Amino acid sequence: IDIGADDPFLEEQLDPKNLQRAADKAGQPVQIRMHDGFDHSYFFVSSFIEDHLSFHAQRLRKEDSVNHNDDDAEEGGRGGERALLAEFEKTKGKPITCKAAVAWAANEPLKTETIVVAPPKRNEIRIKVMANALCHTDIYTLSGQDPEGLFPCILGHEAGGIVESIGEGVKSVKPGDHVIPCYTPQCNQAGCVFCMSPKTNLCPEIRGTQGKGVMPDGTTRFSTEDGKKIFHFMGCSTFSEYTVISEISAAKIDSSAPLDKMCLFGCGVATGLGAVWNTCKVEAGSSIAVFGLGAVGLAVIQAAKIAGASRIFAIDLNPAKFEAAKGFGATDFLNPKDYEIPIQQVIVGETKWGVDYSFDCTGNVEVMRSALESAHRGWGQSCVIGVAPAGAEIKTRPFQLVTGREWKGTAFGGWKSRSSVPKLVNRYMSGELPVEGYITHRFDGVEATNDAVRALESGDCLRAVVSYT
């Protein structure tokens, strides 16, 4: 049961405490979730209705298949959870010594170190990281091109983990909950115009300190065994067996979902999906062009296919990527090196007026221009997803905009992290949103992180997932 903490009918009519007492007396399990900053409005209802539909759909599926379950296996799983919680109880409130892949300097290999992870402070949680998917943003920062890159630091921001302990004031998660750390937080406070607006997901609540590599109180939770401080990264720092993040950066998900796959919803795949569904709202029958066929580009294709796009152009300099793009739903394949004219002219020629929507997934400002100029005269939209190098600028002739094209951008696909990521996970669990095709390489242990970096840089890797025990 979801209830807004600012609901004017809370005490006199709804009276959740009375409901809880009645449920306890009847032996009926009930979970009442109080949400700060929400009242009795339609916005509140619309924020959580999908959670309820997904919950009941999963319960019905579980009941339908109960006769096919192995009771011993289920009991074994519960036993494993109890054992893990018992271990967490031992470390609660204490520093944890563990392994992490530390970036000591730009353009240097990560080094596996034994570090100390301090307990979470107020409104923070400590997570046992179970799986990491490497993202090009990690490589970008490691290369030294990121103006906010600080060293030494612990990179990583596309992961799945289990809450080990919580700091004072934390209400939305508890030890044992499965979470996806999100670099775009969601404070959900009534005073946050960003969280309260359906137009954006860019909550600034902890942005100031997150960009400085520290927690909201201005300090770090990581140190070497001899006391040297290590910076945080994107509010996540998941290249470590344990990490500390803000509560508002943790998306609680279905505990039965596989974390070594759900970690993909922490950044790249979610970003590509959201660019189509949230930022551009691609309609059935639309034509689209996707520039750059990495994991983000393929997620754009997957989302466009689900949305009912009729023609999907996949553009890349590496034709070896076309087969994967076809598998995700692309219909046309273009290599700019095969043409003597700019690729945007090729696309306009193929479609007469251009595509309804175009997406840059490269971070190359010249490609961003090509994407815009391939958009349909009069109404075409072009979405910038790729992150350009520091100081880079985009340009086009103003006439391109005067004649009706729109240039827009997206961060994390426009998803409000804590309320949206669980829904993506539920769509995966229902079979609607498969993600296995993105994982081309797998590794085990923190020590293998450099191997995953090399795989991602090789050109034939979409996502390399590193699992921790």
Side-chain angles (χ1 to χ4, degrees):
I1 297 174
D2 286 291
I3 302 175
D6 295 338
D7 193 316
F9 307 105
L10 186 62
E11 298 300 330
E12 293 186 7
Q13 295 186 35
L14 299 178
D15 195 2
K17 294 180 180 178
N18 189 42
L19 173 63
Q20 183 71 66
R21 287 192 294 269
D24 291 343
K25 184 177 180 180
Q28 170 62 51
V30 62
Q31 179 185 8
I32 298 177
R33 305 192 302 188
M34 302 298 298
H35 298 279
D36 292 336
F38 285 94
D39 54 18
H40 205 79
S41 66
Y42 170 76
F43 178 70
F44 165 70
V45 176
S46 65
S47 296
F48 301 100
I49 188 64
E50 286 191 36
D51 288 354
H52 290 259
L53 293 174
S54 297
F55 171 81
H56 290 292
Q58 290 180 48
R59 289 296 295 268
L60 289 170
R61 284 194 298 272
K62 289 177 181 178
E63 291 176 9
D64 186 52
S65 61
V66 67
N67 292 329
H68 305 285
N69 291 333
D70 187 329
D71 292 338
D72 292 336
E74 286 188 6
E75 180 58 33
R78 288 192 292 270
E81 292 176 8
R82 288 193 292 268
L84 189 60
L85 287 173
E87 288 299 313
F88 289 167
E89 189 64 28
K90 296 176 183 177
T91 54
K92 182 176 67 175
K94 303 175 183 177
I96 290 179
T97 301
C98 67
K99 294 179 182 178
V102 178
W104 285 104
N107 285 312
E108 291 186 6
L110 302 173
K111 187 175 180 181
T112 302
E113 302 278 11
T114 298
I115 67 163
V116 178
V117 183
K121 293 187 179 181
R122 182 174 181 81
N123 297 326
E124 298 174 0
I125 66 174
R126 188 161 59 186
I127 298 170
K128 178 178 174 63
V129 179
M130 303 304 294
N132 265 298
L134 268 71
C135 173
H136 282 283
T137 303
D138 300 312
I139 310 304
Y140 170 71
T141 299
L142 186 60
S143 72
Q145 298 180 66
D146 184 353
E148 288 190 351
L150 298 168
F151 299 94
C153 72
I154 297 174
L155 300 170
H157 65 286
E158 196 170 294
I162 303 173
V163 177
E164 176 267 344
S165 60
I166 62 176
E168 180 185 355
V170 173
K171 299 177 181 178
S172 63
V173 296
K174 63 183 184 304
D177 284 345
H178 289 208
V179 295
I180 302 297
C182 298
Y183 68 91
T184 300
Q186 182 183 2
C187 74
N188 253 356
Q189 296 301 308
C192 178
V193 296
F194 294 87
C195 283
M196 291 300 102
S197 171
K199 297 179 180 179
T200 185
N201 64 330
L202 299 178
C203 173
E205 179 68 16
I206 58 175
R207 181 67 184 87
T209 51
Q210 183 169 305
K212 296 177 182 177
V214 292
M215 296 300 289
D217 70 348
T219 63
T220 175
R221 302 292 167 267
F222 301 122
S223 63
T224 59
E225 289 187 292
D226 60 1
K228 183 177 178 61
K229 298 300 182 183
I230 303 172
F231 287 113
H232 293 251
F233 175 69
M234 294 180 70
C236 296
S237 290
T238 56
F239 287 178
S240 173
E241 291 175 326
Y242 286 86
T243 189
V244 175
I245 68 173
S246 292
E247 177 188 13
I248 62 174
S249 299
K252 179 183 173 181
I253 66 169
D254 182 347
S255 62
S256 65
L259 289 171
D260 63 341
K261 297 174 184 176
M262 298 307 93
C263 59
L264 300 181
F265 290 130
C267 183
V269 172
T271 298
L273 297 172
V276 175
W277 294 337
N278 301 327
T279 307
C280 292
K281 298 179 174 60
V282 171
E283 311 95 342
S286 301
S287 58
I288 78 163
V290 183
F291 292 76
L293 302 179
V296 175
L298 293 181
V300 170
I301 292 173
Q302 181 183 26
K305 176 70 173 179
I306 293 173
S310 60
R311 197 172 184 187
I312 303 174
F313 289 88
I315 302 103
D316 203 284
L317 296 173
N318 182 359
K321 295 183 178 181
F322 292 158
E323 189 62 31
K326 182 178 181 180
F328 278 92
T331 60
D332 297 73
F333 310 91
L334 302 174
N335 182 347
K337 293 189 293 186
D338 293 340
Y339 303 91
E340 296 181 355
I341 60 175
I343 194 64
Q344 55 265 46
Q345 294 181 21
V346 175
I347 295 171
V348 171
E350 288 281 332
T351 58
K352 188 175 181 180
W353 295 110
V355 292
D356 298 311
Y357 302 93
S358 63
F359 300 85
D360 166 69
C361 307
T362 69
N364 183 308
V365 293
E366 293 302 321
V367 176
M368 293 175 192
R369 178 174 185 169
S370 297
L372 174 76
E373 296 178 2
S374 69
H376 201 292
R377 177 186 177 93
W379 64 72
Q381 295 183 25
S382 186
C383 183
V384 175
I385 306 175
V387 178
E393 297 180 349
I394 55 176
K395 63 181 180 180
T396 191
R397 292 181 298 120
F399 188 72
Q400 293 287 334
L401 304 179
V402 171
T403 50
R405 296 170 187 84
E406 293 183 47
W407 220 344
K408 54 177 59 179
T410 190
F412 195 48
W415 298 112
K416 291 183 183 290
S417 55
R418 291 202 290 163
S419 56
S420 298
V421 170
K423 297 172 186 176
L424 292 174
V425 171
N426 290 341
R427 293 180 74 170
Y428 167 84
M429 295 296 285
S430 71
E432 179 187 352
L433 195 57
V435 299
E436 288 82 359
Y438 295 100
I439 303 173
T440 54
H441 296 70
R442 285 189 175 276
F443 301 92
D444 292 309
V446 173
E447 300 86 351
T449 307
N450 279 319
D451 295 331
V453 170
R454 286 188 286 271
L456 193 61
E457 292 176 330
S458 70
D460 63 351
C461 173
L462 295 176
R463 276 297 184 265
V465 173
V466 183
S467 296
Y468 302 164
T469 54

